[in-house]
Amino acid sequence: LAGTINIIMKKRTNGFSASSTSYYESAGQYNFSGQVGFTIKKTGILLSGARYYFDGWRNSDKPFTVERSRVADSMRYMDWKPKEQFMGTIVLSRNIKQLQASFTSDYFFEEIMNRGFPRAPYQETAFDDYYKTKRFNNSFRLYGKAGKKHYVNLVSGLNNYTRIKNTYFKDLATLEQNLTENQGDQDTSRFNNITTRFSISSANDSSMLNYETGFDLGYETGTGLRIKNQKQSIGDYAVFASVEYRPSEKVVFKPALRVIYNTAYSAPLVPSFNIKYTVHGGHTLRASYARGFRSPSLKELYFYFVDVNHNITGNQELEAEHSHNFTLHYTFRHRRKKTEYAFELGGFYNHIENLITLSLGSGNSYSYFNLDLYKSTAVNTTISFNRKQFQASTGFSYIGQYNQLSETTATPVFVYSPETKFNLQYRLVKARCTFSLFYKYTGILPLFASDENGNVSQMKTGAYSMADFSVMKSFFGEFVKMTAGAKNLFNVTNVAGTTAGGTHAGGDLITPIGMGRIYFIKLDLNITR
């Protein structure tokens, strides 16, 4: 869209800081992360690293299940696959007069293991898949004041993504394994993305008129056996401008325009218009319209993405998305002494042509395709209350999705589903202890389907509730923080769909939601000097 995002960073102070976080879940999640940083005059250095490990989960597993020995039967298959992740980041920053410059380099590695069922007739062999993902990202940013009345912001990045898939034939008696000879079982795909964004803006708070203008450059390449002709590329280049006009203290108008050139698709002009109206007493009204354009990515066009959680085939015939978005939002905030109230009411409407989405093919395979027309609409409201150590908020949404069958059958144009959220937090200041509760209800969503004879039937996805509870306690000031609690208190795992008559519609409508009730504990250590 033709909007912009402004990021305000916390100013650095001279000194040293270090922190670490240890986390454990009863479903078999073991995480550890740490970072150290220091600032000397105008230069700052931050180093961080993490290791996340998940040993997998089956629907039959109980909390705190630990494998005492390696299994070589059907129990080796996991519904939620084991994975291990390593992450590392270095950030170098420096102040140059009124400008701030920073360089960030981060590395990510993930390995997912999919142990297959033992093969008939003797259950002594199996096929195991390993999926390795590597990401190496580097970026440079320069931002700050340029002169007395202007700001500049330059961001440039180089992103490398590598994905390796290997299939092994494993002997469960000797534990020996060898790569399979089927060429389609082994694959390495690489994607490289170069991006640059520059903008300059005026910043005169007393002026009635301010502006921002700049450009975006993006170029992506992909290589691999599963990429068409083993190599593809796509470029996306744009210039943009926005104007902020304040005829009075109460009203702000902000029109914007984006002009795009895409090497593979014809792009339209992308305008947007925002208005904000503020009334004394805490009342604010916002309205906006935005035109949208999105070209398919290289992965959506050419990538054959198959792992333990996905079986997705790219589609070279995809067209670009074109959309229109309308929003309306009202906010009221009131503060009296130590009590603060807030009320928000909003809604949106989206009209999307050629929506890029996934369709289910044979078995569990998916492919990208263009949905000719898609619409969505919603109304949502939030009420929050904050007084001293007590905070509470509740929200309700009523979300409508377009029913394409309404064009040819006597069915509703939109199908609606409700959502309700509730958050509660209470702090015991003297005890340095915080209690938190989160609850969310996802309501029934009606669906319509037609068979090969044109007969229309109605189905429904099941409703479900999720709730989390935690307690956080601080020790030795802010040096040590310990958090313990439970997620998914209602022990939700799968949600089944039903037909209009109320019977289960079969396995196709069984949706996995979670790993049941999970207990966790987290320990944070913080040192600041």
Side-chain angles (χ1 to χ4, degrees), residues 297-317:
S297 68
L298 284 183
K299 295 182 180 68
E300 291 168 334
L301 288 168
Y302 305 109
F303 193 31
Y304 181 57
F305 184 30
V306 179
D307 66 12
V308 296
N309 299 311
H310 309 86
N311 187 342
I312 302 172
T313 304
N315 180 1
Q316 304 169 28
E317 306 300 323

Side-chain angles (χ1 to χ4, degrees), residues 21 32 62 82 116 158 189-190 291 323 326 359 442 448 475 484 527:
T21 299
F32 178 80
K62 302 298 181 182
L158 173 62
S189 299
R190 293 183 175 88
R291 177 84 182 270
S323 62
F326 301 86
S359 63
T442 301
F448 296 90
F475 302 90
I527 301 174

Side-chain angles (χ1 to χ4, degrees), residues 4-137:
T4 59
I5 299 175
N6 294 320
I7 300 176
I8 301 173
M9 307 292 287
K10 181 179 180 180
K11 292 184 178 179
R12 296 191 309 271
T13 57
N14 291 340
F16 170 83
S17 65
S19 64
S20 69
T21 299
S22 304
Y23 179 85
Y24 167 74
E25 276 187 4
S26 60
Q29 182 79 43
Y30 307 84
N31 299 343
F32 178 80
S33 62
Q35 70 174 31
V36 59
F38 58 89
T39 304
I40 302 175
K41 294 182 179 180
K42 297 182 178 181
T43 302
I45 299 176
L46 177 66
L47 301 171
S48 65
R51 188 248 189 180
Y52 295 167
Y53 178 76
F54 174 56
D55 62 10
W57 186 84
R58 310 178 192 91
N59 286 326
S60 59
D61 283 351
K62 302 298 181 182
F64 305 104
T65 298
V66 177
E67 295 291 347
R68 298 299 180 184
S69 61
R70 297 176 65 93
V71 295
D73 55 21
S74 60
M75 294 294 289
R76 72 193 307 272
Y77 178 86
M78 299 285 188
D79 296 289
W80 297 68
K81 311 304 179 184
K83 66 180 178 181
E84 187 174 26
Q85 298 174 332
F86 293 93
M87 290 153 276
T89 302
I90 180 171
V91 180
L92 304 174
S93 57
R94 183 173 177 83
N95 291 343
I96 308 172
K97 295 183 179 180
Q98 298 186 93
L99 298 174
Q100 290 81 46
S102 64
F103 173 78
T104 302
S105 182
D106 65 77
Y107 179 78
F108 170 88
F109 173 81
E110 176 187 70
E111 182 177 44
I112 300 176
M113 295 155 279
N114 178 26
R115 300 185 181 99
F117 282 107
R119 302 171 65 244
Y122 304 112
Q123 284 76 45
E124 60 182 8
T125 60
F127 288 106
D128 291 350
D129 298 324
Y130 290 81
Y131 305 89
K132 299 178 181 179
T133 300
K134 301 176 183 179
R135 290 199 299 266
F136 185 43
N137 302 324

Side-chain angles (χ1 to χ4, degrees), residues 160-179:
N160 174 267
Y161 170 93
T162 302
R163 186 175 178 277
I164 303 170
K165 184 253 184 178
N166 295 123
T167 299
Y168 290 87
F169 182 71
K170 188 162 189 173
D171 189 317
L172 300 180
T174 64
L175 299 183
E176 293 182 357
Q177 62 181 20
N178 296 286
L179 289 170

Side-chain angles (χ1 to χ4, degrees), residues 366-407:
Y366 290 81
S367 179
Y368 291 104
F369 81 108
N370 287 113
L371 186 61
D372 293 339
L373 180 62
Y374 178 79
K375 303 175 185 178
S376 62
T377 186
V379 59
N380 52 74
T381 182
T382 302
I383 301 173
S384 60
F385 172 84
N386 187 352
R387 178 178 173 82
K388 295 182 179 180
Q389 66 269 32
F390 179 79
Q391 295 180 10
S393 66
T394 183
F396 174 79
S397 299
Y398 199 54
I399 304 169
Q401 301 181 41
Y402 181 63
N403 172 28
Q404 199 166 21
L405 287 178
S406 64
E407 298 178 4

Side-chain angles (χ1 to χ4, degrees), residues 222-264:
T223 59
L225 293 176
R226 302 188 185 193
I227 305 294
K228 179 184 177 182
N229 298 328
Q230 299 187 20
K231 184 176 181 179
Q232 292 291 329
S233 62
I234 190 170
D236 193 89
Y237 315 105
V239 294
F240 58 87
S242 65
V243 176
E244 186 177 272
Y245 175 58
R246 296 175 178 265
S248 69
E249 293 183 357
K250 297 182 179 180
V251 181
V252 179
F253 297 99
K254 191 171 184 179
L257 181 66
R258 186 178 181 89
V259 182
I260 305 170
Y261 172 72
N262 187 282
T263 58

